[in-house]
Amino acid sequence: EVQLVESGGGLVQAGGSLKLSCVASGSPIDDYAIGWFRQAPGKEREPVSYISDSYSIIYDDSVEGRFTMTRHNAKNTVYLEMNSLKPEDTAVYYCAADGWGPLVTDWKYWGQGTLVTVSS
């Protein structure tokens, strides 16, 4: 079983940057795909990006070119670097492990989330 803890969220102005971290414990993440999702107020949770155990990465069109996902297996950590942030990026950001695909039900383990607020 994998426990996930996100951090790095906060308040930032439009055009700014933030870097989120997702630290895993309980099991090495080397063999897991990891995903980032987000949920804006009143909306469903949606995929942002995910990275396979072989470092293949998929980005949602809404973040392509602005967000970069990386993994550091030795630190059991996955990162999401977010640049050129927009107010519509405001959401709680979640990381997920052991899965693949754009649906919440595609993933087995979830963190508690970290709030990102982008002001205009």
Side-chain angles (χ1 to χ4, degrees), residues 12-91:
V12 63
Q13 288 188 331
S17 299
L18 282 174
K19 187 174 183 178
L20 307 184
S21 300
C22 172
V23 179
S25 61
S27 181
I29 63 168
D30 303 45
D31 295 330
Y32 292 110
I34 305 292
W36 281 102
F37 284 70
R38 65 186 180 186
Q39 188 166 15
K43 295 188 177 181
E44 294 188 353
R45 198 169 299 187
E46 63 181 16
V48 174
S49 64
Y50 26 98
I51 185 168
S52 73
D53 56 350
S54 59
Y55 294 83
S56 296
I57 305 174
I58 292 178
Y59 294 100
D60 185 80
D61 288 346
S62 64
V63 306
E64 180 83 54
R66 300 188 298 122
F67 290 12
T68 303
M69 187 176 183
T70 55
R71 64 188 299 158
H72 194 310
N73 287 345
K75 294 184 176 181
N76 242 27
T77 301
V78 174
Y79 302 98
L80 183 69
E81 185 163 4
M82 307 185 296
N83 298 312
S84 302
L85 283 162
K86 305 175 181 180
E88 52 263 44
D89 294 318
T90 294

